[in-house]
Amino acid sequence: MRVRTSYEGPLGDLFAHRATDSAYNAHTDRPAVLALAGDVAGSSVLDVGCGAGHYIAELRARGAAEVVGVDGSETLLAHARERVGGDPGVTLRRHDLEEPLTFLADNSFDAVVMALVHHHVEARRQLLSEAHRVLRPGGVLLLSTTHPTADWTWHGGSYFDEERVESSVGDGLTISYRRMTLQTFLNELLDAGFTLERVAEPRAVEAARHIDERRYLKTRQTPFFLAVRMRKTR
């Protein structure tokens, strides 16, 4: 299975649009992950599953010296190129995230961001191992995913089901991703050599209320995402 190839064309355009100012992407996930990132001034950052470049733009605005964005969707990368323009501090590359990041050197980044892409990937352990490899000693991994409780609520069945599911995102479009338990999620990160530093269950920031009050209120009652800050300690 190849990661995010379905995010081409209309689906890629839809997500590029939603990530710009949606209650969930722009005002729930992104503020939480950037808060976990802390000060990135002068840092070299890898954005795995960079999508339309929203994180890249934010990281550069916050002083990151270099950001490398990698994604499997040419549609999303086209949006990213438009967003970052000719910024010399940004490199974008199309790559299937089911494959190792062999074009990146060991110990070459201060931080790796994996925002809402991890659950789409089948080769998760390989990808986490690659993130560990390219991080410098003491580097941080910032990762967000769908919340296991939310998946259980939406898709039903047993909480311990870890099947691949599809969800409608409107306009006749669907996305596919892998459910996982909290146990699976955390243990795969620990097995890859990371130490857990912080956990966040993001709720929408106040700005979301003015965009979509219904979704804003939903995030205040139901966990949608789970975000962690991990450190490379071995």
Side-chain angles (χ1 to χ4, degrees):
M1 185 173 297
R2 301 179 70 82
V3 69
R4 300 189 78 177
T5 51
S6 61
Y7 278 53
E8 299 290 359
L11 185 57
D13 291 335
L14 175 66
F15 268 79
H17 171 71
R18 287 188 176 179
T20 300
D21 202 30
S22 70
Y24 295 153
N25 294 83
H27 298 296
T28 305
D29 173 69
R30 201 151 62 238
V33 174
L34 290 171
L36 290 175
D39 183 9
V40 297
S43 297
S44 177
V45 183
L46 172 65
D47 186 353
V48 177
C50 66
H54 294 86
Y55 271 97
I56 295 174
E58 287 275 7
L59 291 163
R60 285 289 285 161
R62 291 166 184 242
E66 172 196 17
V67 183
V68 175
V70 180
D71 201 280
S73 166
E74 182 56 41
T75 299
L76 288 171
L77 286 172
H79 284 280
R81 292 187 194 100
E82 183 177 353
R83 178 158 284 101
V84 302
D87 186 341
V90 174
T91 302
L92 297 172
R93 179 171 179 136
R94 187 179 185 184
H95 181 74
D96 179 359
L97 299 183
E98 300 290 353
E99 302 297 330
L101 305 173
T102 53
F103 55 95
L104 297 173
D106 295 358
N107 306 317
S108 52
F109 294 95
D110 300 303
V112 173
V113 175
M114 292 174 56
L116 301 182
V117 66
H118 171 259
H119 49 287
H120 291 284
V121 180
E122 287 297 294
R124 292 194 311 267
R125 287 184 176 272
Q126 175 181 267
L127 185 58
L128 293 175
S129 177
E130 286 292 270
H132 187 275
R133 177 183 66 80
V134 303
L135 276 171
R136 298 186 176 107
V140 298
L141 170 64
L142 306 160
L143 190 155
S144 64
T145 189
T146 58
H147 198 291
T149 301
D151 286 336
W152 184 25
T153 301
W154 297 336
H155 297 288
S158 168
Y159 168 80
F160 297 100
D161 286 345
E162 295 194 337
E163 77 273 26
R164 198 161 187 94
V165 295
E166 290 201 358
S167 291
S168 172
V169 293
D171 299 328
L173 301 171
T174 62
I175 58 170
S176 171
Y177 66 95
R178 176 72 63 176
R179 282 177 62 173
M180 69 192 83
T181 63
L182 180 62
Q183 173 178 289
T184 295
F185 172 69
L186 289 177
N187 283 339
E188 287 182 358
L189 286 161
L190 297 174
D191 290 346
F194 293 102
T195 298
L196 176 63
E197 289 194 338
R198 299 289 295 175
V199 177
E201 294 176 300
R203 289 173 286 180
V205 298
E206 185 64 24
R209 185 192 290 273
H210 307 292
I211 296 166
D212 190 330
E213 185 169 19
R214 181 180 66 85
R215 287 187 168 89
Y216 166 82
L217 292 173
K218 282 181 69 174
T219 72
R220 313 299 290 187
Q221 299 175 348
T222 302
F224 276 71
F225 304 126
L226 178 65
V228 293
R229 175 186 171 99
M230 313 293 296
R231 189 171 295 276
K232 178 178 178 177
T233 53
R234 60 177 172 87

